[in-house]
Amino acid sequence: MYSEKVLDHFQNPRNVGKIDDADGIGEIGSAQCGDIMKIYIKVDENEVITDLKFQTYGCGAAVASSSVASTMLIGKSIDEALKFKNRDALVALGGLPTEKVHCSVLAEDAIRAAIWDYSQKTGKKFEGLKNYEPDTSH
Ligand code: FES
């Protein structure tokens, strides 16, 4: 039911944890299942994400999606990271069962929330956040 890639990222998740002096923190709760994901980012003076850590209080598919997303996002510019979609994680993982696709959306939403937090703290504006409404429902 799960690809080898999913099992690998679930069993050995990359970049799990917390960054104490994070430049941006995003926390998102899933409307479908109530699970929570938190992403911390460090951003350098060139607007490049130099470090990213995540904490997922969710299922294995959410852990695997955030793990693979973290490996894809470290080293990306903020503008590139804002284009990250859950389907990018799905492709990298070799797919997820249909009923688990919503779990991968948490990673997409949490990275946007972390960048939004970064933009609030620094006063910087990013094209990809133009119509972004932070989710304050959790
Ligand atoms: Fe909640 Fe997967 S069931 S994140």
Side-chain angles (χ1 to χ4, degrees):
M1 155 172 172
Y2 288 113
S3 72
E4 264 178 42
K5 263 262 172 92
V6 173
L7 293 175
D8 173 35
H9 277 274
F10 170 56
Q11 284 159 356
N12 310 291
R14 324 309 194 256
N15 303 303
V16 171
K18 154 177 203 215
I19 300 175
D20 286 332
D21 59 343
D23 296 315
I25 302 173
E27 186 174 334
I28 286 294
S30 166
Q32 277 97 332
C33 64
D35 290 341
I36 291 171
M37 182 180 300
K38 208 163 175 179
I39 284 185
Y40 303 77
I41 52 171
K42 284 296 284 178
V43 182
D44 73 7
E45 63 284 359
N46 299 315
E47 309 301 349
V48 169
I49 297 174
T50 55
D51 198 10
L52 183 155
K53 295 260 187 286
F54 73 88
Q55 295 172 316
T56 298
Y57 307 98
C59 71
V63 171
S65 322
S66 35
S67 170
V68 81
S70 73
T71 64
M72 297 166 83
L73 289 165
I74 294 173
K76 292 271 190 307
S77 69
I78 293 283
D79 288 325
E80 288 168 332
L82 283 169
K83 292 186 187 131
F84 177 84
K85 296 279 178 238
N86 75 305
R87 65 173 172 272
D88 300 326
L90 289 176
V91 169
L93 288 172
L96 280 172
T98 313
E99 69 276 13
K100 288 286 176 185
V101 167
H102 75 90
C103 314
S104 66
V105 177
L106 275 179
E108 175 187 329
D109 288 349
I111 184 67
R112 289 175 80 79
I115 295 173
W116 184 81
D117 182 47
Y118 171 71
S119 80
Q120 294 298 107
K121 285 175 174 152
T122 57
K124 293 178 182 169
K125 302 258 180 289
F126 299 100
E127 184 63 22
L129 283 179
K130 228 161 93 194
N131 299 315
Y132 181 73
E133 298 278 345
D135 175 8
T136 50
S137 61
H138 56 277

